[in-house]
Amino acid sequence: MRETEKVREIPVEIEETRERIRKKGEIEKEERLEEIVVECPRCGSRKLIQDYKRAELVCEDCGFVLDDNIIDPGPEWRAFDHDQRMGRSRTGPPATYTIHDKGLSTMIDWTDKDSYGKTISSTDKAQLYRLRKWQRRIRVNDATERNLAFALSELDRMASALSLPRDVREASALVYRRAVEKNLIRGRSIEGVATAALYAGCRECSVPRTLNEIAAVARVNRKEIGRTYRFIARELKLNFLPISPTAYISRFCSALKLSEAVEAKALETIQRAKEKELTSGKGPTGVAAAAIYIASIVCGEKRTQREVADVVGVTEVTIRNRYKEIASEFGLDISP
DNA sequence: AAGACGAAAGTGGTTGA
DNA sequence: TCAACAACTTTCGTCTT
């Protein structure tokens, strides 16, 4: 942000900006306008426009210029349709850990045309055919490559079933690759290690899933996942902090169709419980469940222990134990 | 009758000798 | 390697609303 405030002469400029935005659909690429979601510090409006042609970041409502030196991250060429865009792009998709060769392999095109678009002679066609055949064979070559390809597809299947974001898949795939490098697969099933890598990836990206949730989509049982996870975590020196109960609140609250007020109350409850040392050593899901249970009662949107227990994946007994500890320490009794 | 409560026994994992 | 241990689960009978 600049120090000196600069405001365009509002009446004229605003009209002009509005006009440009109205036409945005037709001339978007021409004018390089883009809406972004940031709040205007002057009027609070969220309608900010990045005007790449003028290199300005300007508020649509009041004309306030937030920045007059923005960088256009887009390509320097223009394209008017998909073919042109593909033709002018000089890069492929980003390298990824989720494909066994990181998505960097060469593919030989199936058309019998050379790079100038001319048809290839029939003698060369035979050679091209052989080249293609070997290229395909080399791609998934030895056993380790095949195993890696299998493990990564398994990883992707589970991540999809749990609708996990892209970065978790990348992180999990990286963990798996490191496990392969260190020869940790030997004597363990590929599925087991892949699932453990997924669990580790989830923790690394702070989108914790419980072992139960992962086991539900895995082809190996929970015990096996836990054992393998501990093993590779130790070997790869993945020192994750224990999961905070707060990380589960939002997900479980929405699963129970509880309002944001309850969610906030639950988070506050956990915070207070943490300060009183009531959470250390206890299972984070149990603490989360108790906090949600308490919050749901306090906010008048009561859920039964059974309902909370089912969603969170602990028993009612555990909820009772946690919530008794918390309630007695806070001196609040929840019996209206 | 549903939900909450609590006792008792069992399970899986960690810790420390 | 083994026993002690804490957390958690399962099961079940009882109490409360």
Side-chain angles (χ1 to χ4, degrees):
Chain A
M1 172 88 75
R2 291 153 28 83
E3 312 84 40
T4 50
E5 206 177 87
K6 172 174 149 193
V7 181
R8 289 179 180 177
E9 296 126 60
I10 295 170
V12 186
E13 287 290 340
I14 283 297
E15 266 319 299
E16 196 187 304
T17 311
R18 291 228 169 96
E19 182 63 25
R20 287 211 310 261
I21 290 156
R22 222 167 285 132
K23 290 189 193 159
K24 200 176 149 212
E26 311 141 36
I27 56 171
E28 187 176 4
K29 288 301 157 206
E30 192 80 27
E31 288 274 351
R32 318 296 302 275
L33 290 172
E34 203 175 295
E35 288 183 61
I36 59 164
V37 273
V38 180
E39 204 167 296
C40 173
R42 193 147 170 274
C43 68
S45 157
R46 287 193 162 272
K47 293 182 197 151
L48 291 179
I49 304 293
Q50 289 190 0
D51 183 340
Y52 287 122
K53 200 176 173 189
R54 300 179 183 216
E56 282 175 350
L57 182 59
V58 58
C59 173
E60 188 196 342
D61 280 346
C62 66
F64 181 66
V65 178
L66 276 87
D67 196 345
D68 62 0
N69 194 22
I70 59 173
I71 293 166
D72 183 353
E76 80 288 2
W77 39 262
R78 296 184 344 188
F80 298 95
D81 58 33
H82 182 71
D83 280 353
Q84 284 190 6
R85 191 175 300 283
M86 294 313 283
R88 286 172 197 185
S89 294
R90 290 178 294 264
T91 58
T96 172
Y97 289 111
T98 57
I99 301 177
H100 74 281
D101 53 13
K102 303 186 191 178
L104 293 174
S105 61
T106 302
M107 293 288 284
I108 300 179
D109 202 3
W110 55 271
T111 53
D112 291 326
K113 298 277 176 66
D114 64 14
S115 57
Y116 301 104
K118 283 192 286 195
T119 310
I120 291 166
S121 70
S122 57
T123 47
D124 289 343
K125 265 185 197 168
Q127 188 188 8
L128 199 55
Y129 173 78
R130 289 194 299 277
L131 280 170
R132 265 193 224 113
K133 187 169 73 185
W134 281 104
Q135 180 66 26
R136 253 201 330 271
R137 287 185 185 173
I138 287 165
R139 229 189 130 189
V140 182
N141 192 9
D142 52 33
T144 51
E145 284 288 296
R146 258 202 313 281
N147 288 346
L148 192 54
F150 172 67
L152 293 174
S153 75
E154 190 64 10
L155 213 52
D156 205 53
R157 181 188 65 77
M158 291 186 288
S160 295
L162 295 167
S163 46
L164 289 165
R166 167 122 228 113
D167 54 339
V168 174
R169 302 179 193 205
E170 290 281 341
S172 315
L174 184 56
V175 170
Y176 188 86
R177 281 169 187 280
R178 289 176 56 201
V180 172
E181 274 169 30
K182 285 202 128 196
N183 261 327
L184 304 179
I185 318 290
R186 190 112 324 150
R188 254 164 279 273
S189 71
I190 293 170
E191 286 106 325
V193 180
T195 315
L198 182 68
Y199 181 63
C202 285
R203 296 190 60 163
E204 186 172 345
C205 297
S206 321
V207 280
R209 296 292 119 129
T210 60
L211 275 178
N212 280 329
E213 289 169 296
I214 290 185
V217 298
R219 297 193 206 279
V220 286
N221 60 34
R222 214 197 65 184
K223 214 168 115 185
E224 174 78 21
I225 301 169
R227 202 173 44 226
T228 314
Y229 165 72
R230 268 193 312 283
F231 177 72
I232 64 171
R234 182 157 33 91
E235 292 297 319
L236 297 177
K237 305 202 174 15
L238 306 171
N239 295 321
F240 298 131
L241 295 169
I243 301 168
S244 164
T246 54
Y248 293 112
I249 294 297
S250 146
R251 208 151 49 83
F252 290 151
C253 276
S254 64
L256 286 161
K257 302 198 169 41
L258 288 161
S259 69
E260 284 171 28
V262 181
E263 199 175 315
K265 187 75 195 167
L267 289 172
E268 184 201 320
T269 308
I270 291 174
Q271 200 54 47
R272 288 177 60 191
K274 264 186 184 170
E275 283 159 16
K276 301 230 174 191
E277 296 284 330
L278 290 171
T279 60
S280 70
K282 308 292 198 298
T285 48
V287 177
I292 293 171
Y293 178 65
I294 292 170
S296 80
I297 293 170
V298 170
C299 298
E301 296 180 44
K302 184 172 168 140
R303 296 290 180 276
T304 63
Q305 293 180 354
R306 178 79 264 148
E307 288 170 310
V308 180
D310 278 345
V311 168
V312 178
V314 295
T315 59
E316 298 151 272
V317 183
T318 305
I319 295 182
R320 282 201 287 275
N321 291 336
R322 288 299 86 75
Y323 120 85
K324 267 190 299 182
E325 292 164 8
I326 295 172
S328 68
E329 189 67 33
F330 287 5
L332 55 89
D333 69 322
I334 312 161
S335 41

